Amino acid sequence: MSFLTYLSIFLLFNWLNRAVKMTPLSFKWKAVLGIGQGAAAVAYFVLKKPLSDEVHLLIGSIALGAIIKYFNEQEDFKSFRSYFESHYPLIAVGILIFLISIIAPGFYDEYDQYFLLPLVAAFIWVISRWAASKKQREELLLYKAKNEELDRLVAERTAEIQNQKEELEATIELLQNTQQQLIQSEKLASLGELTAGIAHEIQNPLNFVNNFAEVSSELLEEMNQELAKGDLEEARYIADDIRQNLEKISQHGKRADSIVKGMLQHSRTSNGQKEPVNINNLADEYMRLAYHGLRAKDKSFNSELVTNFDNSLPEVNIIQQDVGRVLLNLFTNAFYAVHQKQKEIGQTFRPKIEVSTRLQHNNIELTVKDNGIGIPEAIRDKIMQPFFTTKPTGEGTGLGLSLSYDIIVKGHNGNIAIESEEGNGSVFIITLPII
Amino acid sequence: MKILVVDDEVDVQPLFLQCFRKEIRNHVFDFDFAFSGEQALDYLKDKHSEVVLILSDINMPGMSGIELLSTIRKDYDNPPPLVMMITAYGDEETHANALQLGANDFLTKPLDFNLLKEKLNTVLHNG
C-alpha cells in the first residue's frame, strides 16, 4: 500500500524536474529535485523490510505532507499549487489507514484488501490533477507567449505613433513658418503692386513743390522790382501770393511725406497698436495707390473714381497698416475686375469704382463697389479661403481676401459682406465698430 | 489767346495763374481750367471757338487725356485747336499714340514753365 505514496513522492520530484527543465528555474532546483527523486526511491526500498506496511505508509504520508507544505510555500512553484493540493486526499487516506490499523486492528485485518481502494482512487486523483495542471500550464505558457507578442506589437506601434507624432509636429512647425513667409510675401507682392502707384503719387506733389518753389523765387524778384518802383500795393499783392505758395509747398510736401510713411507702414510687420484713424483719408489714399499701380502696368487703362464720403464720420480705432492692407486688396481686386471686363468688352465699357462711407448705428460702413466682371455664385463661398484665387498662376497668392477677412473679423470685430452679380460687378461692405 | 488747361490736380490753377501773372495782367494769355476730360468737353461745347490751345494732362481718372484728344480731333476740327499733352511718364508708346491722334506738342512733368512760355509765345507769334 505504501508504494503508491512513495511513487507519488517520486513522481512529484520527477515531474517538477521535467517541468523546470529548460527554464531559468532549472539551475536553482535541478539538484534538489534530483536528490528528492532518488531519496524517495531509496527510502521506499530501505524502509520496506524493517517496517510494517502501515507504518511505512504513515512515514511516506507524513513525508509527502512535509514535501507538499514545503513546495506550496515556494514562489517558484506558484502555478503548481492545484497539483500540490491534489495530494491531500492521498496523505489523509494514508494516515487514516494507519490509525484504523492501530485503533481497530481486528476490523482492519478483516477488510484489509478494501483499504487499497481509496488509496488507489486518491492516487488516480493526483495523476489526473497533474495532467490537468500540465495542460493548464501549457495554455498559460502559450498565453504568456501571446501576451509577450502583444506587448512587443504594442511597443512597436507606440514607437511608430511617437515617430509620427514627432514628424507631424515638425510638419506643423514647417507649415507655420511657411504661413508666416507667405503672409510676408503677400505683403511684398502687394508692395510691388504699390510701388508704381507710389512713384506716381509722390511725383505729383514733388512736381508741385518744385514748381511752386520756382515761381515763388521769380515772384520775389518781381516784388523787389515793384518795391524799387514804389508800387507798395502790388508788392503786397505779390507777397500774399508767395505766402500762399509756401503753404502749397508745405501742403504737397506733407502729402508726399504721408505717402512714404504709409508705404513704410504697409511693409512693416504689424505692431498691433490701434490708433484713431480717419477712414475716409485712408480709403482715398489706397484707392489712388491701387489705381496708379494698375495704370503702371497698363497705361491704356482708365477708370472713373467716385467717392461718397460721409465727412462727419468719427475717427475709428484701428491698426492702420492692417486695415490699409485690406483696403488696398479690395481696391486692387475691384480694379482687376473692371480691367478684365474692359479686356472682354473693349473700350466702349466705362470702368467705375465707387467708395462710400457712412455711419450705421455704432458701426462705420465702408463700401467698395465696382462694375466689373462680378463673382460667379459657385465660387462666392470660396473666395475668402486661403490660397483660393481666380487669377493666373503668379498673379495672385490667393491670400489677399483671406488675410483681409482675418484682419477685419478677427482683428477688429468687424465684418466683410459681399454682394455680387456675375457680369455686373461686385460690392464689398466692411463694417467696423467705432468703440 | 485763350488757353484751356486740363488736369485733375486742382493746384495747377494757382500755379499757372502765378507763372503767367504778367501775361494775364497784360491780356496776352487768358487761362481757363478743367479738372477732368469730361469737364473739358463740357467747356468746349460752348467755348470751342474761343479756345486756341488746350494743355492736357494724360493721366487722369475717368476720361484720360488721350481720349479727350481723340474726341477733340473728331468733334472740333473747324478750326482745330492746338493740343499739347502733359505726361508724367513720358514714355514712347504714349508719345507715339498721342502724336498719331493729332497732338501738336509734348510737355513732361514737372513742367518747365520757361520752356512752356517759349512755346506759347511761338504759337502766339506764328498765329
Coordinates of all heavy atoms in Angstrom, one line a residue, chain A residues 215-294:
Chain A
V215 N 8.4 129.3 -58.9 CA 7.6 130.5 -59.2 C 7.7 131.5 -58.1 O 7.7 132.7 -58.3 CB 6.1 130.1 -59.5 CG1 5.3 129.8 -58.3 CG2 5.4 131.2 -60.3
S216 N 7.9 131.0 -56.8 CA 8.0 131.9 -55.7 C 9.3 132.8 -55.8 O 9.3 133.9 -55.5 CB 8.0 131.1 -54.4 OG 6.7 130.5 -54.2
S217 N 10.4 132.1 -56.2 CA 11.6 132.9 -56.3 C 11.5 133.9 -57.4 O 12.0 135.0 -57.3 CB 12.8 132.0 -56.5 OG 13.0 131.6 -57.8
E218 N 10.8 133.6 -58.5 CA 10.5 134.6 -59.5 C 9.7 135.7 -59.0 O 9.9 136.9 -59.3 CB 9.8 134.0 -60.8 CG 10.8 133.2 -61.7 CD 10.0 132.3 -62.6 OE1 8.9 132.6 -62.9 OE2 10.7 131.3 -63.1
L219 N 8.7 135.4 -58.2 CA 7.8 136.4 -57.6 C 8.5 137.3 -56.7 O 8.3 138.5 -56.7 CB 6.6 135.7 -56.9 CG 5.5 135.1 -57.7 CD1 4.5 134.4 -56.9 CD2 4.8 136.2 -58.6
L220 N 9.5 136.8 -56.0 CA 10.3 137.6 -55.1 C 11.1 138.7 -55.9 O 11.2 139.8 -55.5 CB 11.3 136.8 -54.3 CG 10.7 136.1 -53.0 CD1 11.7 135.2 -52.4 CD2 10.4 137.3 -52.0
E221 N 11.6 138.2 -57.0 CA 12.3 139.2 -57.9 C 11.4 140.3 -58.3 O 11.7 141.5 -58.3 CB 12.8 138.4 -59.1 CG 14.3 138.5 -59.4 CD 14.8 137.5 -60.4 OE1 14.5 137.8 -61.6 OE2 15.3 136.5 -60.0
E222 N 10.2 139.9 -58.8 CA 9.2 140.8 -59.2 C 8.8 141.8 -58.1 O 8.7 143.0 -58.3 CB 8.0 140.1 -59.7 CG 8.1 139.6 -61.1 CD 6.8 138.9 -61.6 OE1 5.7 139.4 -61.3 OE2 6.9 137.8 -62.2
M223 N 8.7 141.2 -56.9 CA 8.3 142.0 -55.7 C 9.4 143.1 -55.5 O 9.1 144.3 -55.2 CB 8.1 141.2 -54.5 CG 7.5 141.9 -53.3 SD 7.1 140.8 -52.0 CE 8.7 140.7 -51.2
N224 N 10.6 142.7 -55.6 CA 11.7 143.7 -55.4 C 11.7 144.8 -56.4 O 11.9 145.9 -56.1 CB 13.1 143.0 -55.5 CG 13.4 142.3 -54.2 OD1 12.9 142.7 -53.1 ND2 14.2 141.2 -54.3
Q225 N 11.3 144.4 -57.7 CA 11.2 145.4 -58.7 C 10.1 146.4 -58.4 O 10.2 147.6 -58.5 CB 10.9 144.7 -60.1 CG 12.1 144.0 -60.7 CD 11.7 143.1 -61.8 OE1 10.6 143.2 -62.4 NE2 12.6 142.2 -62.2
E226 N 8.9 145.8 -57.9 CA 7.8 146.6 -57.6 C 8.2 147.6 -56.5 O 7.8 148.8 -56.4 CB 6.6 145.8 -57.2 CG 6.0 144.9 -58.3 CD 5.5 145.6 -59.5 OE1 5.2 146.8 -59.4 OE2 5.5 145.0 -60.6
L227 N 8.9 147.0 -55.4 CA 9.3 147.9 -54.3 C 10.2 149.0 -54.8 O 10.1 150.1 -54.3 CB 10.0 147.0 -53.3 CG 9.1 146.1 -52.4 CD1 9.9 145.2 -51.5 CD2 8.1 146.9 -51.5
A228 N 11.1 148.7 -55.7 CA 12.0 149.7 -56.2 C 11.3 150.8 -56.9 O 11.6 152.0 -56.9 CB 13.0 149.0 -57.2
K229 N 10.2 150.3 -57.6 CA 9.3 151.3 -58.3 C 8.5 152.1 -57.3 O 7.9 153.1 -57.7 CB 8.4 150.6 -59.3 CG 9.0 150.4 -60.7 CD 8.0 150.0 -61.7 CE 7.7 148.5 -61.6 NZ 6.5 148.1 -62.5
G230 N 8.3 151.5 -56.1 CA 7.5 152.2 -55.1 C 6.0 151.8 -55.2 O 5.2 152.3 -54.5
D231 N 5.8 150.7 -55.9 CA 4.4 150.2 -56.0 C 4.1 149.2 -54.9 O 4.2 148.0 -55.0 CB 4.1 149.5 -57.4 CG 2.6 149.2 -57.6 OD1 1.9 149.3 -56.6 OD2 2.3 149.0 -58.7
L232 N 3.8 149.8 -53.7 CA 3.7 149.0 -52.5 C 2.5 148.1 -52.6 O 2.6 146.9 -52.1 CB 3.5 149.9 -51.3 CG 4.8 150.6 -50.8 CD1 4.6 151.4 -49.5 CD2 5.9 149.5 -50.5
E233 N 1.4 148.5 -53.2 CA 0.2 147.7 -53.3 C 0.5 146.4 -54.0 O 0.1 145.3 -53.6 CB -0.9 148.5 -53.9 CG -2.3 147.9 -53.6 CD -3.3 148.6 -54.5 OE1 -3.1 149.7 -54.9 OE2 -4.4 148.0 -54.7
E234 N 1.2 146.6 -55.2 CA 1.5 145.4 -56.0 C 2.5 144.5 -55.3 O 2.3 143.3 -55.3 CB 2.1 145.9 -57.3 CG 2.3 144.8 -58.3 CD 1.1 144.0 -58.8 OE1 0.0 144.6 -58.6 OE2 1.2 142.9 -59.3
A235 N 3.4 145.1 -54.6 CA 4.4 144.3 -53.8 C 3.7 143.5 -52.7 O 4.0 142.3 -52.5 CB 5.4 145.2 -53.2
R236 N 2.7 144.1 -52.1 CA 2.0 143.4 -51.0 C 1.2 142.3 -51.6 O 1.1 141.2 -51.1 CB 1.1 144.4 -50.3 CG 1.0 144.2 -48.8 CD 0.2 145.3 -48.1 NE 1.1 146.5 -47.8 CZ 0.7 147.7 -48.0 NH1 -0.5 148.0 -48.5 NH2 1.5 148.7 -47.8
Y237 N 0.7 142.5 -52.8 CA -0.2 141.5 -53.5 C 0.7 140.3 -53.8 O 0.3 139.2 -53.6 CB -0.7 142.2 -54.8 CG -1.7 141.3 -55.5 CD1 -3.0 141.1 -55.1 CD2 -1.3 140.7 -56.7 CE1 -3.8 140.3 -55.8 CE2 -2.1 139.9 -57.4 CZ -3.4 139.7 -57.0 OH -4.2 138.9 -57.7
I238 N 1.9 140.6 -54.3 CA 2.9 139.5 -54.7 C 3.3 138.7 -53.4 O 3.3 137.5 -53.4 CB 4.1 140.1 -55.4 CG1 3.7 140.6 -56.7 CG2 5.1 139.0 -55.6 CD1 4.8 141.4 -57.5
A239 N 3.5 139.5 -52.3 CA 3.9 138.9 -51.1 C 2.8 137.9 -50.6 O 3.1 136.8 -50.1 CB 4.2 139.9 -50.0
D240 N 1.6 138.3 -50.8 CA 0.5 137.4 -50.4 C 0.5 136.1 -51.2 O 0.3 135.0 -50.7 CB -0.8 138.2 -50.6 CG -1.9 137.5 -49.8 OD1 -1.7 137.2 -48.6 OD2 -3.0 137.3 -50.3
D241 N 0.8 136.3 -52.5 CA 0.9 135.1 -53.4 C 2.0 134.2 -52.9 O 1.8 133.0 -52.9 CB 1.2 135.5 -54.8 CG -0.1 135.8 -55.6 OD1 -1.2 135.6 -55.0 OD2 0.0 136.2 -56.8
I242 N 3.1 134.8 -52.6 CA 4.3 134.0 -52.1 C 3.9 133.2 -50.8 O 4.2 132.0 -50.7 CB 5.5 134.9 -51.9 CG1 6.0 135.5 -53.2 CG2 6.6 134.1 -51.2 CD1 7.1 136.5 -53.1
R243 N 3.2 133.9 -49.9 CA 2.8 133.2 -48.7 C 1.9 132.0 -49.1 O 2.1 130.9 -48.5 CB 2.0 134.2 -47.8 CG 1.7 133.6 -46.4 CD 0.8 134.5 -45.6 NE -0.4 134.9 -46.4 CZ -1.4 134.1 -46.5 NH1 -1.4 132.9 -46.1 NH2 -2.5 134.5 -47.2
Q244 N 1.0 132.2 -50.0 CA 0.1 131.1 -50.4 C 0.9 130.0 -51.0 O 0.6 128.8 -50.8 CB -0.9 131.6 -51.4 CG -2.2 132.2 -50.8 CD -3.1 132.8 -51.8 OE1 -3.2 132.3 -52.9 NE2 -3.8 133.8 -51.4
N245 N 1.9 130.3 -51.8 CA 2.8 129.3 -52.4 C 3.5 128.5 -51.4 O 3.6 127.3 -51.5 CB 3.8 130.0 -53.4 CG 3.1 130.5 -54.6 OD1 1.9 130.3 -54.8 ND2 3.8 131.2 -55.5
L246 N 4.0 129.2 -50.4 CA 4.7 128.5 -49.3 C 3.8 127.5 -48.6 O 4.2 126.4 -48.3 CB 5.3 129.5 -48.3 CG 6.4 130.3 -48.9 CD1 6.9 131.3 -47.8 CD2 7.6 129.4 -49.3
E247 N 2.5 127.9 -48.5 CA 1.6 127.0 -47.9 C 1.4 125.7 -48.8 O 1.3 124.6 -48.3 CB 0.2 127.7 -47.7 CG 0.0 128.2 -46.3 CD -1.3 129.1 -46.3 OE1 -2.2 128.8 -47.0 OE2 -1.2 130.1 -45.6
K248 N 1.3 126.0 -50.1 CA 1.1 124.9 -51.1 C 2.3 124.0 -51.0 O 2.2 122.8 -51.1 CB 1.0 125.5 -52.5 CG -0.3 126.2 -52.7 CD -1.5 125.3 -53.0 CE -2.7 126.1 -53.2 NZ -3.9 125.3 -52.9
I249 N 3.5 124.6 -50.9 CA 4.7 123.7 -50.9 C 4.7 122.8 -49.7 O 4.9 121.6 -49.7 CB 6.0 124.6 -50.8 CG1 6.2 125.3 -52.2 CG2 7.2 123.8 -50.4 CD1 7.3 126.4 -52.2
S250 N 4.3 123.4 -48.5 CA 4.3 122.6 -47.3 C 3.2 121.6 -47.4 O 3.4 120.4 -47.0 CB 4.1 123.6 -46.1 OG 3.2 123.0 -45.2
Q251 N 2.1 121.9 -48.0 CA 1.0 121.0 -48.1 C 1.3 119.8 -49.0 O 1.1 118.7 -48.7 CB -0.2 121.8 -48.7 CG -1.5 121.1 -48.8 CD -2.5 122.0 -49.7 OE1 -2.5 123.2 -49.5 NE2 -3.2 121.4 -50.6
H252 N 2.0 120.1 -50.1 CA 2.3 119.0 -51.0 C 3.5 118.2 -50.5 O 3.6 117.0 -50.7 CB 2.7 119.5 -52.4 CG 1.4 119.9 -53.2 ND1 0.6 119.0 -53.8 CD2 0.9 121.1 -53.4 CE1 -0.4 119.6 -54.3 NE2 -0.3 120.9 -54.1
G253 N 4.4 118.8 -49.7 CA 5.5 118.1 -49.0 C 4.9 117.1 -48.1 O 5.3 116.0 -48.0
K254 N 3.9 117.6 -47.3 CA 3.3 116.7 -46.3 C 2.6 115.5 -47.0 O 2.5 114.4 -46.5 CB 2.3 117.4 -45.5 CG 2.9 118.2 -44.4 CD 1.9 119.0 -43.6 CE 2.6 119.9 -42.6 NZ 1.8 121.1 -42.3
R255 N 2.0 115.8 -48.2 CA 1.3 114.8 -48.9 C 2.3 113.7 -49.3 O 2.0 112.5 -49.1 CB 0.7 115.4 -50.2 CG -0.2 114.5 -51.0 CD -0.9 115.3 -52.1 NE -1.0 114.5 -53.3 CZ -1.2 115.0 -54.5 NH1 -1.3 116.3 -54.7 NH2 -1.4 114.2 -55.6
A256 N 3.4 114.1 -49.8 CA 4.5 113.1 -50.2 C 4.9 112.3 -49.0 O 5.1 111.1 -49.0 CB 5.6 113.8 -50.9
D257 N 5.1 113.1 -47.9 CA 5.5 112.5 -46.6 C 4.6 111.4 -46.2 O 5.0 110.3 -45.8 CB 5.6 113.6 -45.6 CG 6.2 113.2 -44.3 OD1 7.3 112.7 -44.3 OD2 5.5 113.2 -43.3
S258 N 3.3 111.7 -46.2 CA 2.3 110.7 -45.7 C 2.3 109.5 -46.6 O 2.0 108.4 -46.1 CB 0.9 111.3 -45.6 OG 0.2 111.3 -46.8
I259 N 2.6 109.7 -47.9 CA 2.6 108.5 -48.8 C 3.8 107.6 -48.5 O 3.6 106.4 -48.4 CB 2.6 109.0 -50.3 CG1 1.3 109.6 -50.6 CG2 2.9 107.8 -51.2 CD1 1.4 110.5 -51.9
V260 N 4.9 108.2 -48.2 CA 6.1 107.4 -47.9 C 5.9 106.7 -46.6 O 6.1 105.5 -46.4 CB 7.3 108.3 -47.8 CG1 8.5 107.5 -47.3 CG2 7.7 108.8 -49.2
K261 N 5.3 107.4 -45.6 CA 5.0 106.8 -44.3 C 4.1 105.7 -44.4 O 4.2 104.6 -43.8 CB 4.4 107.9 -43.3 CG 5.5 108.8 -42.8 CD 5.0 109.3 -41.4 CE 6.1 110.2 -40.8 NZ 5.8 111.6 -41.0
G262 N 3.0 105.9 -45.3 CA 2.0 104.8 -45.5 C 2.7 103.6 -46.1 O 2.4 102.5 -45.7
M263 N 3.6 103.8 -47.0 CA 4.3 102.7 -47.7 C 5.1 101.9 -46.6 O 5.1 100.7 -46.6 CB 5.2 103.2 -48.8 CG 5.9 102.1 -49.5 SD 7.0 102.8 -50.8 CE 8.3 103.5 -49.8
L264 N 5.9 102.7 -45.8 CA 6.7 102.0 -44.8 C 5.8 101.2 -43.8 O 6.1 100.1 -43.5 CB 7.5 103.1 -44.0 CG 8.6 103.7 -44.8 CD1 9.3 104.8 -44.0 CD2 9.6 102.7 -45.3
Q265 N 4.7 101.8 -43.5 CA 3.8 101.2 -42.5 C 3.2 99.9 -43.2 O 3.1 98.9 -42.5 CB 2.6 102.1 -42.2 CG 2.6 102.5 -40.8 CD 1.6 103.6 -40.5 OE1 0.8 103.9 -41.4 NE2 1.6 104.1 -39.4
H266 N 3.0 100.0 -44.4 CA 2.4 98.8 -45.1 C 3.4 97.6 -45.1 O 2.9 96.5 -44.9 CB 2.1 99.2 -46.6 CG 1.4 98.0 -47.3 ND1 0.1 97.8 -47.3 CD2 2.0 97.1 -48.1 CE1 -0.2 96.7 -48.0 NE2 1.0 96.3 -48.5
S267 N 4.6 97.9 -45.3 CA 5.6 96.8 -45.4 C 6.1 96.3 -44.0 O 6.5 95.2 -43.9 CB 6.8 97.2 -46.2 OG 7.4 98.3 -45.6
R268 N 5.9 97.1 -43.0 CA 6.3 96.8 -41.7 C 5.4 95.7 -41.1 O 4.3 95.6 -41.4 CB 6.3 98.0 -40.8 CG 7.3 97.9 -39.6 CD 7.1 99.2 -38.8 NE 7.4 100.4 -39.5 CZ 6.8 101.6 -39.3 NH1 5.9 101.7 -38.3 NH2 7.1 102.7 -40.0
T269 N 6.0 94.8 -40.2 CA 5.2 93.9 -39.5 C 4.3 94.6 -38.6 O 4.8 95.5 -37.9 CB 6.1 92.9 -38.7 OG1 7.1 92.4 -39.6 CG2 5.3 91.7 -38.2
S270 N 3.1 94.2 -38.5 CA 2.1 95.0 -37.7 C 2.5 94.9 -36.2 O 2.9 93.9 -35.7 CB 0.8 94.3 -37.9 OG -0.1 94.8 -36.8
N271 N 2.5 96.1 -35.6 CA 2.9 96.1 -34.2 C 1.6 96.0 -33.3 O 1.6 96.0 -32.1 CB 3.6 97.4 -33.8 CG 2.7 98.7 -34.1 OD1 1.6 98.6 -34.5 ND2 3.3 99.8 -33.8
G272 N 0.5 95.9 -34.0 CA -0.8 95.6 -33.4 C -1.4 96.7 -32.6 O -2.3 96.6 -31.8
Q273 N -0.8 97.9 -32.7 CA -1.3 99.1 -32.0 C -2.5 99.7 -32.7 O -2.3 100.1 -33.9 CB -0.2 100.1 -31.8 CG 0.8 99.8 -30.7 CD 0.2 99.8 -29.4 OE1 -0.5 100.7 -29.0 NE2 0.5 98.7 -28.6
K274 N -3.6 99.8 -32.0 CA -4.7 100.5 -32.6 C -4.6 102.0 -32.3 O -4.2 102.4 -31.2 CB -6.0 99.9 -32.0 CG -6.3 98.6 -32.6 CD -7.7 98.0 -32.2 CE -7.8 96.6 -32.7 NZ -9.0 96.0 -32.2
E275 N -5.0 102.8 -33.3 CA -4.9 104.2 -33.1 C -6.1 104.8 -33.9 O -6.6 104.3 -34.8 CB -3.6 104.8 -33.6 CG -3.2 104.4 -35.0 CD -1.8 104.4 -35.3 OE1 -1.0 104.9 -34.5 OE2 -1.4 103.9 -36.4
P276 N -6.5 106.0 -33.4 CA -7.7 106.6 -34.1 C -7.3 107.1 -35.5 O -6.2 107.7 -35.7 CB -8.0 107.9 -33.3 CG -7.0 108.0 -32.2 CD -6.1 106.8 -32.3
V277 N -8.1 106.6 -36.5 CA -7.8 106.9 -37.9 C -9.0 107.4 -38.6 O -10.1 107.0 -38.4 CB -7.3 105.6 -38.6 CG1 -7.1 105.8 -40.1 CG2 -6.0 105.1 -38.0
N278 N -8.8 108.4 -39.5 CA -9.8 108.9 -40.4 C -9.9 107.9 -41.6 O -9.1 107.8 -42.5 CB -9.5 110.3 -40.9 CG -10.6 110.8 -41.8 OD1 -11.2 110.1 -42.6 ND2 -10.8 112.1 -41.6
I279 N -11.0 107.1 -41.6 CA -11.2 106.1 -42.6 C -11.3 106.7 -44.0 O -10.8 106.1 -45.0 CB -12.5 105.3 -42.3 CG1 -12.2 104.3 -41.1 CG2 -13.0 104.5 -43.5 CD1 -11.5 103.1 -41.5
N280 N -11.9 107.9 -44.1 CA -12.1 108.5 -45.5 C -10.7 108.7 -46.1 O -10.5 108.4 -47.3 CB -12.8 109.8 -45.3 CG -14.3 109.6 -44.9 OD1 -14.8 108.5 -45.0 ND2 -14.9 110.7 -44.5
N281 N -9.8 109.3 -45.3 CA -8.5 109.6 -45.9 C -7.8 108.3 -46.3 O -7.1 108.2 -47.3 CB -7.6 110.3 -44.8 CG -8.1 111.7 -44.6 OD1 -9.0 112.2 -45.3 ND2 -7.6 112.4 -43.5
L282 N -7.9 107.3 -45.4 CA -7.2 106.0 -45.6 C -7.7 105.4 -46.9 O -7.0 105.0 -47.8 CB -7.4 105.1 -44.4 CG -6.5 103.9 -44.3 CD1 -5.1 104.3 -44.0 CD2 -7.0 102.9 -43.3
A283 N -9.1 105.4 -47.1 CA -9.7 104.8 -48.3 C -9.3 105.6 -49.5 O -8.9 104.9 -50.5 CB -11.2 104.8 -48.1
D284 N -9.3 106.9 -49.4 CA -8.9 107.7 -50.6 C -7.5 107.4 -51.0 O -7.2 107.2 -52.2 CB -9.1 109.2 -50.2 CG -9.0 110.1 -51.5 OD1 -9.8 109.8 -52.4 OD2 -8.2 111.0 -51.5
E285 N -6.6 107.4 -50.0 CA -5.2 107.2 -50.3 C -4.9 105.8 -51.0 O -4.3 105.7 -52.0 CB -4.4 107.2 -49.0 CG -2.9 107.2 -49.1 CD -2.3 107.2 -47.6 OE1 -2.9 107.9 -46.7 OE2 -1.4 106.4 -47.4
Y286 N -5.6 104.8 -50.5 CA -5.3 103.4 -51.0 C -6.0 103.2 -52.4 O -5.6 102.5 -53.2 CB -5.7 102.3 -50.0 CG -4.5 102.1 -49.1 CD1 -4.5 102.7 -47.8 CD2 -3.4 101.4 -49.5 CE1 -3.5 102.4 -46.9 CE2 -2.4 101.1 -48.6 CZ -2.4 101.7 -47.4 OH -1.3 101.5 -46.5
M287 N -7.2 103.9 -52.6 CA -7.8 103.8 -53.9 C -6.9 104.4 -55.0 O -6.7 103.8 -56.0 CB -9.1 104.6 -53.9 CG -9.8 104.5 -55.2 SD -11.6 105.0 -55.2 CE -11.4 106.7 -54.9
R288 N -6.3 105.5 -54.7 CA -5.4 106.1 -55.7 C -4.2 105.2 -55.9 O -3.7 105.1 -57.0 CB -4.9 107.5 -55.1 CG -6.0 108.6 -55.2 CD -5.6 109.7 -54.4 NE -6.1 111.0 -54.9 CZ -5.6 111.7 -55.9 NH1 -4.5 111.3 -56.5 NH2 -6.2 112.7 -56.4
L289 N -3.6 104.7 -54.8 CA -2.4 103.8 -54.9 C -2.7 102.6 -55.8 O -2.0 102.3 -56.7 CB -1.9 103.4 -53.6 CG -1.2 104.5 -52.7 CD1 -0.9 103.9 -51.4 CD2 0.0 105.0 -53.4
A290 N -3.9 102.0 -55.5 CA -4.2 100.8 -56.3 C -4.5 101.2 -57.8 O -4.0 100.5 -58.7 CB -5.5 100.2 -55.7
Y291 N -5.1 102.3 -58.0 CA -5.4 102.8 -59.4 C -4.1 103.0 -60.1 O -3.9 102.5 -61.2 CB -6.2 104.1 -59.3 CG -6.5 104.7 -60.6 CD1 -7.3 104.0 -61.6 CD2 -6.1 106.0 -60.9 CE1 -7.6 104.5 -62.8 CE2 -6.4 106.5 -62.1 CZ -7.2 105.8 -63.1 OH -7.5 106.4 -64.3
H292 N -3.2 103.7 -59.5 CA -1.9 104.0 -60.2 C -1.1 102.8 -60.4 O -0.3 102.7 -61.3 CB -1.2 105.2 -59.5 CG -1.9 106.5 -59.7 ND1 -2.1 107.0 -60.9 CD2 -2.5 107.3 -58.8 CE1 -2.8 108.2 -60.8 NE2 -3.0 108.4 -59.5
G293 N -1.2 101.9 -59.4 CA -0.5 100.6 -59.5 C -0.9 99.9 -60.8 O 0.0 99.3 -61.5
L294 N -2.2 99.8 -61.0 CA -2.6 99.1 -62.2 C -2.3 99.9 -63.5 O -1.9 99.3 -64.5 CB -4.2 98.9 -62.1 CG -4.8 98.2 -63.3 CD1 -4.1 96.8 -63.5 CD2 -6.3 97.9 -63.1

